[in-house]
Amino acid sequence: MTGRGAVPGGGRPGDGEARRGGRSVTCDELREAAPELALGGIDDPERARLFAHAAGCPACQARLDELALLVDQLLVAAPELEPPAGFEGRVLDHLATAAAGGGPGGPGATPARPGGASTAPSTAPSTPPSTVAIGARRSRRRRLLAVAAVVVLLALLGGAVGLVRAGRDEGGDTSQAASSTSTSGPADGADPGGQATLQSISSGPILRADGSRSGTAMLVDEPRPLVLVTIDSPRPSANRVSCELVLPDGTATTVGTWGYDDVAGGAWAVGIAPDLLGAVRMNVRDAAGNIVASAALV
Amino acid sequence: MRLDRLPDDALLAALGLGEPDAAAVFVRRFQRRVFGLAYLITREQGLAEDAAQQAFERAWRHAASFDPRRGSVLTWLLAITRNVSIDLTRVRRPAAIDPTDLHALLPPSAAADPEAAAVRTDLLGQLAPVLDSLPEGQRRAVLLATLAGLTTTEIARLDGVPVPTAKTRLRTGLAKLHVALSREVAE
């Protein structure tokens, strides 16, 4: 069935199956069954027998192709429905995750996530979220200093920034930070001690499915709305996970993704739309969409 | 040229080639249709979103296989959506079919909603008046099987008729539409 066979996921079993014994199908029988066959309403082994007949009968094959074309054309009569808030962002993140996992055939076929595109609901302000990853020390104090430096960088650079890694120097001095963007670079105004003012709205421990703690999540209001995640013991992995904020009404918004390289330094942050500051939960999802860790934000 | 002004087939090609921002434009252009069909088949928001996501992924992965001679990008994408949605529904069947839900989602006849019918005519071409002229039983059978992904057994149960009657309604309705399509191709 060439029409349906050209549709990914609409493939049909080879005719070899029907030739392995079983009664052969007549043209009348196929004509009788053709509508249901074109609509995918017939299961194996009957489906295999019918397709096997069509493969050897040009007239029946043509009829099946025409019916498949007809079914496809009727699909445009389906209603248009506004998808849930954040759907576009989740689809794009899904595509980006799929690409990272081993993209499609064909050269360069990677659905690049548009630079700075917001994953927030359509009602969110136009300021795109920004993602900053830092390298920081192992000690909690050093990690907090580096986190504070991240916040300062976000506040100073603003807008969309590329990955930023702070130098692994002793004082958490962000002057070693290297920006992948063309913006002004290191935060000259950063306090060498890295003690930026963080106005936290809510926070909570990030717990894995087994109840063990993997880090802390924090929603920050000042200097700008963002979610900060600290990871206690980052473990090398090829996987990427996505960060999802859940509002009290259950609306979930994916705000970004991270891999090991992003959190190797122990912290990760992304700018968010102000209305997400009311989130009551942060979920960490793997590429398959399963929740692997979660934090109640209070 | 701005991506959002590209015709559908050029945009799909850009998507397949990994053109920056093509994915966002593609999803934005088709998400209402894809989600609408997915929801009609799965009848559950979470399942519909999963199906829609998978449909966009398949479109991205198989962009190079699109053949414009076989139809539009929209019909190709909706066919993918239908396949994915039916597969997901058979694996993760949601609650029993609510006839009220389906009735609300299926496109009404021209008599019931002339304005929507006019829009549908633009999209469906010659098929639209034939669809609207079908006896209600045949029209429902065609739409329930095509758009909602129901089997004839499910249609029979929904409409309270024997399965052979549902099969006949579907076969007859599609045959009439097939004639109209053949006539359109010949013109």
Side-chain angles (χ1 to χ4, degrees), chain A residues 66 82 90 94 104 108-109 114, chain B residues 16-17 21 32 49 57 60 178:
Chain A
E66 287 163 350
E82 190 67 37
R90 288 192 290 278
H94 178 82
Chain B
L17 290 172
D21 296 338
R32 288 169 54 85
E49 183 164 340
E57 181 183 347
W60 160 61
H178 184 212

Side-chain angles (χ1 to χ4, degrees), chain A residues 56-114:
Chain A
C57 177
C60 285
Q61 182 66 66
R63 181 166 182 81
L64 282 180
D65 288 347
E66 287 163 350
L67 279 174
L69 181 62
L70 174 61
V71 169
D72 288 353
Q73 288 192 319
L74 285 171
L75 293 179
V76 298
E80 288 189 39
L81 283 180
E82 190 67 37
F87 171 80
E88 179 185 324
R90 288 192 290 278
V91 171
L92 294 176
D93 279 336
H94 178 82
L95 293 181
T97 301
T110 302
R113 193 77 166 82

Side-chain angles (χ1 to χ4, degrees), chain A residues 141-291:
Chain A
R141 177 178 177 278
R142 290 171 179 165
R143 188 164 59 245
L144 285 176
L145 288 176
V147 165
V150 164
V151 173
V152 171
L153 281 171
L154 280 173
L156 289 177
L157 294 174
V161 296
L163 288 178
V164 175
R165 287 191 179 279
R168 300 173 70 83
D169 61 293
E170 289 298 315
D173 185 351
T174 58
S175 62
Q176 298 301 315
S179 169
S180 66
T181 72
S182 59
T183 51
S184 55
D188 293 316
D191 179 343
Q195 295 290 349
T197 301
L198 300 179
Q199 191 116 3
S200 167
I201 298 295
S202 59
S203 65
I206 302 173
L207 302 177
R208 301 186 185 92
D210 62 4
S212 60
R213 177 174 178 152
S214 65
T216 304
M218 184 189 304
L219 294 181
V220 173
D221 191 22
E222 294 290 340
R224 59 178 292 187
L226 50 88
V227 57
L228 277 175
V229 170
T230 63
I231 306 296
D232 293 334
S233 302
R235 290 176 279 192
S237 169
N239 300 321
R240 292 189 70 83
V241 295
S242 60
C243 175
E244 173 187 87
L245 293 178
V246 183
L247 293 173
D249 65 359
T251 305
T253 303
T254 300
V255 296
T257 64
W258 73 70
Y260 172 70
D261 281 349
D262 300 316
V263 296
W268 177 85
V270 66
I272 59 175
D275 60 0
L276 290 177
L277 288 173
V280 294
R281 176 162 292 279
M282 185 196 82
N283 292 325
V284 181
R285 293 183 181 268
D286 62 16
N290 305 308
I291 295 177

Side-chain angles (χ1 to χ4, degrees), chain A residues 7-10 32 36 39-40 63 66 73 76 79-82 87-88 90 94 104 108-111 114, chain B residues 16-18 21 28 31-33 36 45 49 57-58 60-62 82-83 90 105 124 152 167 171 178 181:
Chain A
V7 172
E32 180 91 2
E36 285 184 273
L39 288 161
R63 181 166 182 81
E66 287 163 350
Q73 288 192 319
V76 298
E80 288 189 39
L81 283 180
E82 190 67 37
F87 171 80
E88 179 185 324
R90 288 192 290 278
H94 178 82
T110 302
Chain B
L17 290 172
D21 296 338
R28 209 169 291 144
Q31 61 181 340
R32 288 169 54 85
R33 289 203 166 276
Q45 181 168 299
E49 183 164 340
E57 181 183 347
R58 282 198 195 173
W60 160 61
R61 288 185 183 279
H62 299 278
R82 184 177 184 276
N83 290 337
R90 285 177 182 168
L105 287 170
L124 290 173
T152 47
K167 287 180 187 274
R171 191 167 53 245
H178 184 212
L181 178 65

Side-chain angles (χ1 to χ4, degrees), chain B residues 125-140:
Chain B
Q126 293 286 347
L127 294 177
V130 181
L131 186 64
D132 288 333
S133 71
L134 292 177
E136 186 58 21
Q138 292 175 18
R139 183 175 169 279
R140 276 176 59 83

Side-chain angles (χ1 to χ4, degrees), chain B residues 4 7 22 24 34-35 42 52 58 73 87-88 104 136 146 152-153 184:
Chain B
D4 59 357
V34 168
F35 183 78
T42 62
R58 282 198 195 173
V73 171
D87 288 345
L88 274 183
E136 186 58 21
T146 307
T152 47
T153 303
E184 181 180 342

